[in-house]
Each structure stands twice: as structure tokens, then as C-alpha cells.
Amino acid sequence: MEKTILTGDRPTGKLHLGHYVGSLKRRVELQNSGDYKNIFIMIADAQALTDNADNPEKVRQNIIEVALDYMSVGLDPKKSTLFIQSQIPELCELSFYYMNLVTVSRLQRNPTVKSEIQMRNFEASIPVGFFTYPISQASDITAFKATTVPVGEDQLPMLEQTKEIVRKFNSVYGDTLIEPDILLPENQACLRLPGTDGKAKMSKSLGNCIYLSDPSDEVRKKVMSMYTDPDHIQVSDPGKVEGNSVFTYLDAFCKEEHFAKYLPEYPNLKELKAHYQRGGLGDVKVKKFLYAILEEELEPIRARRKELEKDIPAIYEILREGSLKAREVASKTLDDVKSAMKINYFDDTELIRAQSEKYGK
Ligand code: ATP
Ligand code: MG
């Protein structure tokens, strides 16, 4: 079977290291592997509006930021179709039909939606659109007949929901939709990168991010004030590496060759951790090491972004063309869905013939 990727991000801010290790880096590798016939990368503005309805300007402003971040990490519009969700009205139509296949209690059980509701203090005032966004994600994925969805761990429940909708749809209306597979990061630390504040997830909405476009001195400041082990007060104190964001970031980014380059007194991360746990290794030294590693990764991204920023209209043009292409594909799927559901009345000559027979003509 031909393999197709669909994935995307909400334009609620610039993209950060969590996006990078959770999804972006992998996307670029997959894009360049040549194994995928079609790659669709979506800027999920309609989904962003589900919890930002009163702040459309934020969403509007961040579309270009996300597009610049995409291209600066190496997503190439010649190989991947970059598009904007709201420009594909077929996605809403699909959602409308999928809603009939999902129960309210099933949505209430979605653990990601549950924790996001808590995080946003929605409690009794959850917008219906936000509550149903797992259904809209199923539309995004199935509209492109995606086989593969490379995302972070928080998206697992969404993929489960999508698979359920696909199974239900196919069993009720006949084989039409493709069941997608989630592709999670292989590195444990990248599944859900914590925030610089030590909170469970680096997230635009929590303000605990290192952005891909942060200037070097900003990255330094953020790294130097990162959450570590609150009980590691004196250099001589033994320290904890579990739940210590600096070490989690090292797990995510550090390679053995970084030691020879920036910290030759240690052969590898295991030894560095062991010293920290024994005591006698200060946070500052570890943070400086992390900063050097992050800079090595971020500097080329920043430089590419600077180039791309010189021609903003060209980026909008790429998104316009990508949206046109995406719409063609989604529209074909919607046709398939409508004919499977038998709501394609005017194309159904058999229906028209049978109805006229009923009336004796
Ligand atoms: P918001 O706070 O607006 O929801 P976000 O920072 O959670 O924003 P999304 O646009 O919701 O970002 O997520 C885009 C993609 O990045 C998803 O695939 C998600 O799994 C992944 N992702 C986001 N944050 C992280 C993280 N901290 N670690 C790993 N993957 C992440
Ligand atoms: Mg999110």
C-alpha cells in the first residue's frame, strides 16, 4: 500500500523544542526517506480557534510563524504539502458525519482532552468545538487517507479515536477509510518533552518553552534558569536526574560526540549522571553543556529562518498552493464518504430509476 503522512500543529505560537523532538525532526527524516508518496503538513488554525475563539488575531499572526519554523527545520514544500486547515471546508463536512459515530461519554473519557480542559480552566464552560476536536482530527487524518501520523505521545488518544471512527464507518457504510498508525518518537525523553519549569509538557500555552527561533542569548537565559533538582543546593549535594529537566533534555539531544567536543572530562551521559547523583557536580556546568548542544542544533535552524523571513509573500504563496492541492485530495475523500453513506443522490442513477419505477414510470 502507498504510504501517506498527515500531521500538523496548532498556530497558537512559535514552535518549540517539544515540537522539534516530538514530531518535526522525524517528519523531516521521513520526508527525505523517499518512502512516502504523499506528505501533508497542516497548520491547524481551525483547531486552534476551538480554544481561542475570542483571540483570532493570535491564530492569524502565528500561521506565518509556524510556516517559517517548518521550513527552517527542513520541511520542503517541493516534497511536502504545507497547508492551512480552515481552507479545506471538506474537513468540516467530514466531521459533521463522523460526529454521529461517536458518543459524548467516549469524548469525555479522552485523557488528553480531560487534562487540556483542566489546564485551560474550562471546567463547566467547555466550548463544544473544543470538546469535539478529536473528531475533527479524525477528519484531518482520514481526509488524506493517511497511513502514518508522526506525533508526540499526547496525541495517542486522538489516534485511538480516529481508528475507532474508521472502524465504525467502514463497518456501517463499507470499506472506505484507512486506519492510520501513530509514529511516536523512539527516544523515551522525546515522547513528551517537559517544560523548562519542570512541568510535564513543554507547551505554548504554559509559557515554559524554548522556541526554535529564540535568539542565542534567550536560549542561554532559559537554560540557565531551568528547573533541576530543588534539593540539589550545594555542588557537593547528591542530585536527582529523574524529573530533572536538564537531564531529560540531555537524554533528548545529547550524543556521545558532544562530550569530546564540549565536556571531555566525561566519556558519556551515563558517567555525567552518575557524578551528579553522587554529588560534586554543579547545575551550572551541566546547563552550560546543554546550552552548547542546543546551540549546535538551533543555530542552523535560526540561520535558515533569517533567509526565509526575507520573502514572506513567497511563504504565503506556498501555503496557498499547498491548500489548493490538499483540498483536491480531501474533496475526493468526501465524495467517497458521501457515496458510501448514499447521500450522493444526484449521482445515483439507480436511486432515481428505482424511485421513478415506484411511481410506475
Ligand atoms: P498548545 O498548547 O496550543 O496545544 P502545543 O505546544 O501542545 O500547543 P500542538 O500544536 O498542540 O503544540 O502540538 C503539535 C505537535 O507537537 C503534536 O504532534 C504534539 O504531540 C507535539 N508536541 C507538542 N508538545 C510536545 C512536547 N512537549 N513533547 C513532545 N511532543 C510535543
Ligand atoms: Mg497541544
Side-chain angles (χ1 to χ4, degrees):
M1 192 170 62
E2 276 168 355
K3 292 201 285 181
T4 298
I5 288 176
L6 177 284
T7 183
D9 306 271
R10 294 151 42 94
T12 47
K14 296 177 172 186
L15 299 184
H16 53 63
L17 290 181
H19 299 118
Y20 186 65
V21 296
S23 178
L24 288 176
K25 215 172 157 176
R26 189 67 165 286
R27 277 182 219 176
V28 176
E29 286 162 16
L30 297 172
Q31 168 193 270
N32 298 334
S33 72
D35 292 345
Y36 292 84
K37 178 157 182 286
N38 283 305
I39 302 175
F40 293 96
I41 311 285
M42 179 181 79
I43 302 182
D45 62 336
Q47 192 191 115
L49 285 166
T50 63
D51 57 333
N52 287 283
D54 54 354
N55 200 356
E57 196 52 30
K58 170 171 144 190
V59 175
R60 183 176 145 93
Q61 294 297 329
N62 279 305
I63 290 196
I64 192 74
E65 301 298 342
V66 172
L68 284 166
D69 286 332
Y70 279 170
M71 289 171 60
S72 58
V73 297
L75 287 174
D76 175 355
K78 291 197 191 76
K79 299 179 184 161
S80 298
T81 304
L82 310 182
F83 72 98
I84 304 179
Q85 187 184 28
S86 63
Q87 304 307 297
I88 324 293
E90 286 77 7
L91 299 175
C92 302
E93 224 176 313
L94 287 174
S95 294
F96 195 70
Y97 298 125
Y98 294 170
M99 279 186 192
N100 303 329
L101 307 176
V102 181
T103 62
V104 171
S105 65
R106 175 65 183 88
L107 287 175
Q108 279 167 333
R109 282 203 307 275
N110 184 311
T112 302
V113 175
K114 260 196 206 162
S115 73
E116 287 179 341
I117 284 171
Q118 236 176 13
M119 215 169 90
R120 288 165 176 75
N121 292 324
F122 279 154
E123 272 108 38
S125 55
I126 310 161
V128 174
F130 184 81
F131 182 62
T132 58
Y133 92 73
I135 301 178
S136 130
Q137 271 188 227
S139 307
D140 305 333
I141 295 167
T142 54
F144 299 95
K145 305 231 154 117
T147 54
T148 314
V149 184
V151 283
E153 193 192 31
D154 61 323
Q155 295 302 309
L156 246 173
M158 309 305 160
L159 260 286
E160 272 314 307
Q161 180 70 81
T162 300
K163 281 167 181 266
E164 281 174 34
I165 290 175
V166 169
R167 282 185 218 127
K168 179 97 186 181
F169 188 99
N170 288 348
S171 77
V172 177
Y173 303 112
D175 258 355
T176 312
L177 304 174
I178 307 264
E179 219 177 293
D181 286 323
I182 191 167
L183 201 61
L184 292 171
E186 277 152 15
N187 181 333
Q188 200 62 24
C190 302
L191 283 173
R192 191 179 293 236
L193 197 75
T196 49
D197 56 358
K199 291 226 175 83
K201 183 175 177 274
M202 181 179 283
S203 168
K204 287 171 248 154
S205 309
L206 294 176
N208 58 7
C209 307
I210 295 178
Y211 294 99
L212 297 175
S213 51
D214 273 347
S216 180
D217 56 341
E218 186 75 25
V219 175
R220 177 195 288 274
K221 260 191 254 159
K222 288 182 178 174
V223 171
M224 296 319 280
S225 58
M226 254 174 89
Y227 178 86
T228 57
D229 169 6
D231 299 324
H232 185 246
I233 296 157
Q234 310 283 344
V235 171
S236 55
D237 291 340
K240 275 202 278 302
V241 297
E242 298 80 23
N244 180 329
S245 290
V246 174
F247 280 96
T248 311
Y249 287 21
L250 285 176
D251 283 329
F253 288 95
C254 178
K255 299 189 202 102
E256 213 142 292
E257 68 245 33
H258 289 134
F259 283 94
K261 215 159 157 188
Y262 303 116
L263 206 59
E265 59 267 48
Y266 299 90
N268 54 38
L269 190 52
K270 203 169 156 231
E271 295 293 321
L272 187 75
K273 283 182 179 174
H275 191 184
Y276 192 81
Q277 285 167 319
R278 275 199 309 275
L281 173 57
D283 282 347
V284 171
K285 188 164 181 172
V286 190
K287 285 178 169 176
K288 281 187 173 159
F289 179 51
L290 172 64
Y291 169 66
I293 294 171
L294 290 181
E295 273 301 287
E296 195 175 303
E297 196 92 23
L298 291 175
E299 187 42 41
I301 296 174
R302 249 183 242 131
R304 271 197 298 272
R305 202 183 207 273
K306 281 268 159 320
E307 282 307 304
L308 292 161
E309 285 168 357
K310 289 181 186 158
D311 193 356
I312 295 296
I315 311 279
Y316 278 106
E317 188 51 30
I318 285 166
L319 295 176
R320 198 179 70 83
E321 282 170 19
S323 301
L324 286 174
K325 182 174 172 204
R327 191 165 179 196
E328 269 174 40
V329 178
S331 157
K332 168 82 184 51
T333 303
L334 182 63
D335 283 347
D336 296 346
V337 160
K338 286 169 99 171
S339 73
M341 294 174 71
K342 298 199 184 302
I343 50 174
N344 59 339
Y345 314 112
F346 308 127
D347 304 333
D348 191 343
T349 49
E350 182 50 32
L351 170 77
I352 298 170
R353 196 193 54 74
Q355 294 295 346
S356 34
E357 227 163 57
K358 196 166 85 186
Y359 285 96
K361 299 251 165 60

